[in-house]
Amino acid sequence: MTRLILIRHGETVWNREHRMQGQQDSPLTEVGERQARQLGRRFRDEKFGALYSSDLGRAHRTAQSVADATGRSIIVDTRLRERHFGVFEGLTGDEIERNYPREFLCFRSRDPAYAVPGGESALQFRERCLACLNELAGRHAGERVVVVTHGLVLDILYRAANALTLEQPRPVPLLNASLNIFGHDGKRWHCEAWGDVAHLEAAAVTRFESGMA
């Protein structure tokens, strides 16, 4: 069994402000920096084969704490980026609804083929994520690999492991700096652990839902 430990980045300023981040970026908050440090300490004595990260700043900064604690180099893969939300990026939900009412309704319909202007559809995003994660599982067969990425990348692999469609609501939360462990047996994905934040102090546990990942 190959295991990927997927980690969501630490809390960001735009997380706190409930802004759509997508492939734009905002810095980690003080809480997010603390989450990253605590994450690094958890991996200090862990054995794993490689450390991958999205190239976006919030994920790479989180991965750096793991790299600093373990001596591992970060392998950057742009396919691990968050979904591209086009003209919605940088805006709050209220701002999106006010400025792009028609596009907002289409987005809220959960049509997997709909792409926000300038962005990518859920179908395109799923194809990108699974192509990357399946490739990593094949490249590191039988190993444990750490992957620091974004909330909706976690969402895609959770859906693949639990046979959930893109239209169905996700029944579990997305937690910043959480460990989410998936096994691959050569044929399919299995979710072995979700939302593990045992390394975080209670005050540093944060969650942000929907497309604001």
Side-chain angles (χ1 to χ4, degrees):
M1 182 76 75
T2 303
R3 288 181 172 83
L4 298 190
I5 305 172
L6 266 64
I7 299 169
R8 189 184 179 198
H9 60 79
E11 183 197 65
T12 69
V13 172
W14 280 8
N15 281 157
R16 184 70 64 85
E17 295 176 353
H18 298 280
R19 294 186 181 278
M20 186 82 82
Q21 294 193 114
Q23 295 190 6
Q24 293 193 44
D25 228 339
S26 69
L28 299 186
T29 62
E30 182 179 339
V31 169
E33 291 285 355
R34 192 160 74 247
Q35 291 169 338
R37 290 193 298 271
Q38 292 169 356
L39 178 69
R41 285 197 290 270
R42 176 157 182 178
F43 277 95
R44 192 173 293 157
D45 299 315
E46 293 283 338
K47 304 295 183 183
F48 57 93
L51 172 61
Y52 286 85
S53 175
S54 158
D55 65 323
L56 296 179
R58 58 193 186 271
H60 196 273
R61 173 69 193 90
T62 304
Q64 189 62 54
S65 289
V66 178
D68 291 344
T70 63
R72 287 283 184 180
S73 297
I74 300 172
I75 304 169
V76 171
D77 195 317
T78 60
R79 295 174 299 172
L80 294 169
R81 285 184 172 192
E82 182 58 277
R83 180 178 167 186
H84 197 325
F85 287 109
V87 296
F88 287 1
E89 294 186 355
L91 303 179
T92 66
D94 288 343
E95 290 168 343
I96 293 169
E97 187 171 11
R98 182 170 62 252
N99 297 332
Y100 300 99
R102 185 181 65 82
E103 293 84 356
F104 179 75
L105 287 176
C106 291
F107 178 70
R108 288 294 298 272
S109 74
R110 301 186 68 89
D111 176 359
Y114 176 72
V116 173
E120 62 186 330
S121 71
L123 287 171
Q124 292 169 324
F125 178 59
R126 180 175 67 184
E127 182 178 0
R128 166 165 66 86
C129 292
L130 291 181
C132 179
L133 297 170
N134 288 336
E135 181 182 310
L136 294 187
R139 186 184 303 165
H140 295 281
E143 296 183 64
R144 297 172 76 236
V145 174
V146 176
V147 180
V148 184
T149 183
H150 304 270
L152 296 184
V153 178
L154 272 62
D155 171 272
I156 289 295
L157 198 53
Y158 182 89
R159 290 177 185 280
N162 291 282
L164 287 179
T165 68
L166 293 169
E167 294 90 343
Q168 291 174 279
R170 183 186 62 253
V172 291
L174 299 172
L175 304 180
N176 290 104
S178 61
L179 274 60
N180 306 272
I181 303 175
F182 293 87
H184 195 276
D185 61 10
K187 295 181 179 179
R188 64 181 302 270
W189 290 101
H190 307 268
C191 184
E192 299 181 354
W194 182 266
D196 179 354
V197 289
H199 51 288
L200 300 181
E201 59 192 78
V205 176
T206 55
R207 67 182 70 193
F208 300 91
E209 297 292 350
S210 74
M212 304 299 176

